[in-house]
Amino acid sequence: MRLSIKHFMLLIIFSLLGFLYGIFADYYQEQQEHTAEVILGSLQDDMSEISYLLSKDIQDKKGVRTSRALLDRAVSNNDFIKAIMILDDQRVLLTTDPRYRHAPAKSAVFLDPALSAQEQLSDNKGFEGVIRFYQGKDLQKLTLVFLFDKQEVATYLSHNSSKFLINFGVMPGLIILLIWLLLSHFIIKPLERLRQYAYYQSEIPKALNLRELESIRSSMAQTFSRLDNEQKELFKMARTDSLSGLANRHALNEHLKRLIADASRKQEEFAFLFLDLDNFKAVNDALGHHIGDELLQQVASVIAEVLRTNDFVARVGGDEFVIVLHDYQSLTELSNVIERIQDRLKMTWLIQEHPINITSSIGIALYPKDAQDMIGLMQCSDIAMYEAKKKGRAQHHFYTEQLNVTVQETIALDKAMRQALKKDEYQLYYQPKVNLHSGKIVGAEALIRWISPTQGMVRPDVFIPLAEENGFIVELGQWVLKEAFHQQKAWKEQGIDLPISINVAAQQLLNDRFESQFQALLEETGVDPQRINLEITEYLFLDQSENNFNVLSRLRSRGVSISLDDFGTGYSSLSYLKKFPIDHLKIDKAFVDDYNTPDGAVFLETIVKMGQSLNMQVIAEGVETEAQARYLKQIGCIYYQGYFCSKPLPVEEFIAFYGNHQACSV
């Protein structure tokens, strides 16, 4: 069949246009898929980071709710996330959007690798990850679910669709009208250049003479430029911390991969610094998160300003920064750089008219001596940073293998200590309190002992400080109260109506639930509050707040007596002795041991007379010899406890001792 020139030209035109449209459509689809992959990858990076942070912070399933602020920030910082949920199997523990109260079907959050990124985003409601944490020795798992904001995703993916359809819907008609004029010179050749530009994305063609083709050229240039900018922006978003403008964990990982490969090849060293702001939580709690966020922005700016151009800094957590330093000649030079950073951060920051003073603690790990990958460097520097905090904050500390051993031992002790409570390995021993004049036992102090089936007796000075440091002392102290209350009741039923003294840590006493739990124990056991003596230390008075005073006053009003333990070894002040409701002063063993020196004797006599003047009973601890007991009796001290009468005894031995030795005479 022969074609007319008109039909032939139209066929050529439509063929060319169809070919060009196919190329554009293919490229557009490819770009859309690439954009979808970037979006999905960004969400997966956020999922990994949040899972890591939650795994560090969560101690048990009840503590999940404390992570609400972290999840809310993640949702607000990522336009593609509709909501975040934490599930225990199919039970919703926490959700950032109360409209989502039920766990989505597994099929709706399963990322099928056989599907494209666009299909994943359009077909699925979201995707899920895993939060792993240890509760004791047991590995616990929770499900972290990201729910897509499909409207935002669809809007983002279809941003250029309208212009694309308009251009390629209108242009064919215009080209058909213009083809009759200058087919060869003004259409075919320009279209070929445009085809090559569309396919290869080579140099942008020069301006065309025909307005319609120039419109296509300009539209293509704008579209490609916009897609390229969006791709770069997504690339930047995936590697930049939105608050501080610094690199994020993903960018840090990429930088370290390149740096480790280069350092390994050249056999060079670099320093990995983990910087944490001291007491930053207090700033958020006292002034609000908006002040804290602005402070972080200024801190990030100062750190970046102090560092050299070839150094690297990233924000990896709330107030946590990672700094990578290389090209230093010695550890002395490295320390000078670190000190310069810390000195700059010590200044007074003025945030919205609020003067804020902060310091920083820095842990340093060296590649390749301490670790050879990011995870290892992060762990080592994190250990070193916490050691800097333990040594008083505002310091830096280098990682050592011995430090790692110590940390691992501490972690093992922490787990064993918590498991011991579940396995009923703790016992209460009781040490008699004795009247120096009559020699009679007038009370007993409950002292916790840990009887490990593998290690035997674990000294209290080994696990009690750790329990106070990690907060376990609250739970452990509640167990001590319960055991002591039941023991007092049991003794009373046996005819031994002795007051029991119980040590209470400051953390436990100031806990919001302490008073209600204390009252519940009184009601449960029926113990007379006047037979309960709570022993506190001077550390409670570091903050002589109205709350501390009110807590002690309310306990005292119930009939409970208050003893000040280890008097003279801590924050000793006559002001709190006068202000706070204290019934007994307990003289620390260190002063009793020093009784036979002039200074020691004066100190003991002064405490006894002061206690008498304030109408407080004075009890000497750690009395081991008859000479010590005689001296204490001579200066007017009425009560004592110590090995001179008896060491702390298990319940059965104490009962036997009480029955056989009613008097420990001097």
Side-chain angles (χ1 to χ4, degrees):
M1 174 179 159
R2 295 181 180 273
L3 299 175
S4 66
I5 295 175
K6 176 181 177 180
H7 290 161
F8 179 71
M9 289 182 177
L10 288 174
L11 179 61
I12 292 175
I13 293 169
F14 282 116
S15 298
L16 288 173
L17 288 177
F19 178 68
L20 185 62
Y21 180 83
I23 293 174
F24 271 97
D26 181 68
Y27 175 79
Y28 182 78
Q29 185 61 35
E30 179 181 341
Q31 290 297 315
Q32 291 292 83
E33 177 61 17
H34 182 69
T35 301
E37 290 174 354
V38 173
I39 293 173
L40 195 58
S42 174
L43 292 172
Q44 290 173 329
D45 288 341
D46 285 354
M47 169 80 73
S48 298
E49 182 173 354
I50 292 173
S51 296
Y52 170 76
L53 293 174
L54 292 176
S55 297
K56 283 179 60 181
D57 292 342
I58 294 176
Q59 300 295 324
D60 54 36
K61 294 179 181 179
K62 294 181 179 179
V64 165
R65 297 188 179 278
T66 62
S67 305
R68 177 61 180 268
L70 172 64
L71 301 186
D72 285 341
R73 270 199 307 276
V75 173
S76 64
N77 289 339
N78 196 316
D79 294 332
F80 305 118
I81 300 176
K82 187 74 171 178
I84 298 178
M85 307 173 73
I86 297 180
L87 311 178
D88 181 12
D89 195 10
Q90 289 298 301
R91 183 167 63 95
V92 177
L93 299 181
L94 181 62
T95 175
T96 60
D97 191 335
R99 292 175 297 178
Y100 298 96
R101 298 181 178 178
H102 302 287
K106 285 289 184 179
S107 60
V109 292
F110 171 71
L111 293 183
D112 187 351
L115 299 179
S116 67
Q118 281 185 272
E119 291 172 333
Q120 304 276 17
L121 291 174
S122 61
D123 294 346
N124 287 2
K125 290 184 178 180
F127 67 102
E128 64 180 16
V130 178
I131 304 170
R132 296 179 175 87
F133 64 95
Y134 281 91
Q135 186 170 358
K137 289 184 178 179
D138 298 328
L139 176 63
Q140 302 290 331
K141 294 182 181 179
L142 297 176
T143 302
L144 181 64
V145 177
F146 277 16
L147 297 180
F148 299 143
D149 188 334
K150 290 201 171 186
Q151 183 177 355
E152 186 66 26
V153 173
T155 301
Y156 200 89
L157 290 175
S158 62
H159 182 67
N160 297 311
S161 296
S162 298
K163 181 169 286 189
F164 182 87
L165 293 174
I166 290 172
N167 288 339
F168 287 88
V170 174
M171 285 304 149
L174 296 176
I175 292 174
I176 291 173
L177 291 175
L178 296 173
I179 194 64
W180 302 104
L181 301 174
L182 299 167
L183 177 64
S184 178
H185 184 72
F186 290 98
I187 296 179
I188 296 177
K189 290 182 179 179
L191 283 177
E192 177 60 21
R193 289 198 297 269
L194 291 177
R195 185 194 68 80
Q196 293 179 358
Y197 174 52
Y199 193 82
Y200 298 108
Q201 298 183 45
S202 55
E203 182 180 353
I204 299 176
K206 295 180 181 179
L208 303 176
N209 294 323
L210 294 179
R211 183 181 302 171
E212 289 78 5
L213 293 183
E214 172 57 22
S215 176
I216 292 177
R217 186 200 69 83
S218 177
S219 178
M220 288 172 60
Q222 291 176 15
T223 300
F224 291 154
S225 176
R226 188 179 298 111
L227 288 172
D228 187 57
N229 289 336
E230 289 173 355
Q231 182 177 344
K232 290 178 180 178
E233 184 64 26
L234 284 173
F235 183 86
K236 182 180 178 181
M237 286 172 55
R239 290 157 178 78
T240 303
D241 174 58
S242 58
L243 176 65
S244 66
L246 299 177
N248 61 13
R249 188 181 295 272
H250 184 65
L252 171 64
N253 193 25
E254 289 184 343
H255 177 78
L256 277 179
K257 285 181 179 178
R258 294 192 299 269
L259 184 59
I260 288 173
D262 190 53
S264 176
R265 185 176 63 256
K266 296 179 181 180
Q267 295 186 341
E268 293 179 344
E269 175 185 275
F270 66 83
F272 187 97
L273 281 56
F274 193 97
L275 183 151
D276 184 87
L277 299 181
D278 298 326
N279 301 314
F280 178 75
K281 183 177 183 297
V283 175
N284 276 340
D285 292 344
L287 302 178
H289 286 277
H290 65 291
I291 300 293
D293 287 347
E294 187 171 337
L295 175 62
L296 286 174
Q297 291 171 343
Q298 295 196 24
V299 166
S301 177
V302 167
I303 294 175
E305 178 185 330
V306 173
L307 294 179
R308 303 163 298 182
T309 55
N310 59 341
D311 295 327
F312 182 89
V313 57
R315 177 172 174 251
V316 296
D319 60 335
E320 299 171 342
F321 299 83
V322 165
I323 301 170
V324 181
L325 302 176
H326 54 98
D327 292 339
Y328 51 86
Q329 300 302 316
S330 65
L331 292 181
T332 301
E333 181 183 345
L334 174 61
S335 294
N336 290 336
V337 175
I338 295 170
E339 289 171 2
R340 189 162 66 247
I341 295 170
Q342 291 187 300
D343 288 342
R344 284 294 301 275
L345 296 182
K346 283 181 183 177
M347 67 180 183
T348 299
W349 304 80
L350 189 62
I351 310 295
Q352 299 184 20
E353 301 182 354
H354 296 285
I356 301 173
N357 291 292
I358 61 167
T359 57
S360 60
S361 298
I362 298 178
I364 307 105
L366 300 177
Y367 172 91
K369 181 174 74 71
D370 298 327
Q372 288 80 46
D373 56 30
M374 177 176 171
I375 294 176
L377 289 168
M378 185 74 80
Q379 290 175 341
C380 293
S381 59
D382 187 52
I383 290 171
M385 183 273 293
Y386 277 104
E387 185 67 15
K389 285 188 179 291
K390 286 171 61 178
K391 292 184 178 297
R393 305 178 188 273
Q395 299 186 38
H396 63 271
H397 197 282
F398 284 85
Y399 173 83
T400 64
E401 186 58 38
Q402 182 57 45
L403 178 59
N404 182 48
V405 171
T406 302
V407 170
Q408 296 304 321
E409 290 175 349
T410 301
I411 293 173
L413 177 61
D414 179 88
K415 292 180 179 178
M417 180 173 61
R418 296 174 188 273
Q419 286 290 43
L421 186 59
K422 297 178 180 179
K423 295 179 179 179
D424 200 24
E425 294 177 8
Y426 293 107
Q427 294 183 23
L428 287 187
Y429 279 38
Y430 296 87
Q431 186 172 42
K433 289 185 178 181
V434 183
N435 187 306
L436 271 165
H437 298 277
S438 67
K440 291 186 176 181
I441 297 174
V442 295
E445 179 179 0
L447 299 167
I448 190 169
R449 295 293 184 264
W450 178 6
I451 315 298
S452 169
T454 57
Q455 303 177 51
M457 177 81 76
V458 181
R459 300 194 317 274
D461 61 349
V462 171
F463 68 91
I464 292 297
L466 178 59
E468 292 178 338
E469 179 182 329
N470 61 24
F472 181 60
I473 194 67
V474 175
E475 184 178 355
L476 191 60
Q478 182 63 23
W479 178 88
V480 172
L481 278 176
K482 185 176 182 180
E483 289 294 310
F485 275 40
H486 283 286
Q487 189 59 62
Q488 206 284 334
K489 179 182 180 182
W491 279 349
K492 185 174 182 180
E493 292 172 352
Q494 298 173 30
I496 306 174
D497 191 14
L498 286 176
I500 291 183
S501 296
I502 306 166
N503 292 282
V504 180
Q507 284 186 63
Q508 180 187 3
L509 188 70
L510 299 179
N511 184 274
D512 293 339
R513 301 177 58 194
F514 176 79
E515 290 184 72
S516 60
Q517 291 175 336
F518 187 88
Q519 183 62 35
L521 276 176
L522 286 176
E523 295 172 358
E524 175 188 337
T525 59
V527 168
D528 182 358
Q530 295 184 358
R531 312 306 283 171
I532 298 297
N533 174 257
L534 299 182
E535 296 194 4
I536 62 175
T537 63
E538 295 170 339
Y539 295 105
L540 181 69
F541 305 116
L542 287 173
D543 177 16
Q544 296 188 36
S545 66
E546 196 68 25
N547 179 57
N548 295 3
F549 174 80
N550 290 337
V551 170
L552 292 179
S553 297
R554 287 192 293 268
L555 290 170
R556 186 101 171 284
S557 67
R558 291 186 174 99
V560 175
S561 59
I562 308 295
S563 291
L564 183 57
D565 199 10
D566 301 333
F567 179 72
T569 61
Y571 179 63
S572 301
S573 171
L574 288 176
S575 64
Y576 65 67
L577 291 180
K578 179 181 178 181
K579 176 182 178 181
F580 284 85
I582 300 171
D583 302 289
H584 311 282
L585 286 181
K586 298 192 73 175
I587 305 174
D588 187 74
K589 180 181 185 300
F591 302 115
V592 174
D593 291 341
D594 207 26
Y595 83 100
N596 56 355
T597 66
D599 290 341
V602 169
F603 191 84
L604 285 173
E605 187 173 348
T606 301
I607 295 177
V608 171
K609 289 182 178 179
M610 180 176 62
Q612 292 171 345
S613 300
L614 295 172
N615 294 319
M616 297 179 184
Q617 295 181 358
V618 179
I619 304 169
E621 291 187 292
V623 178
E624 297 181 347
T625 66
E626 183 176 354
Q628 290 173 334
R630 289 188 182 280
Y631 176 77
L632 291 167
K633 182 178 180 181
Q634 176 185 332
I635 63 175
C637 182
I638 299 178
Y639 303 102
Y640 82 94
Q641 64 185 86
Y643 278 42
F644 176 62
C645 177
S646 171
K647 64 181 180 180
L649 300 170
V651 174
E652 297 302 326
E653 293 183 25
F654 181 89
I655 294 174
F657 180 84
Y658 180 82
N660 297 329
H661 302 275
Q662 273 295 305
C664 293
S665 304
V666 179

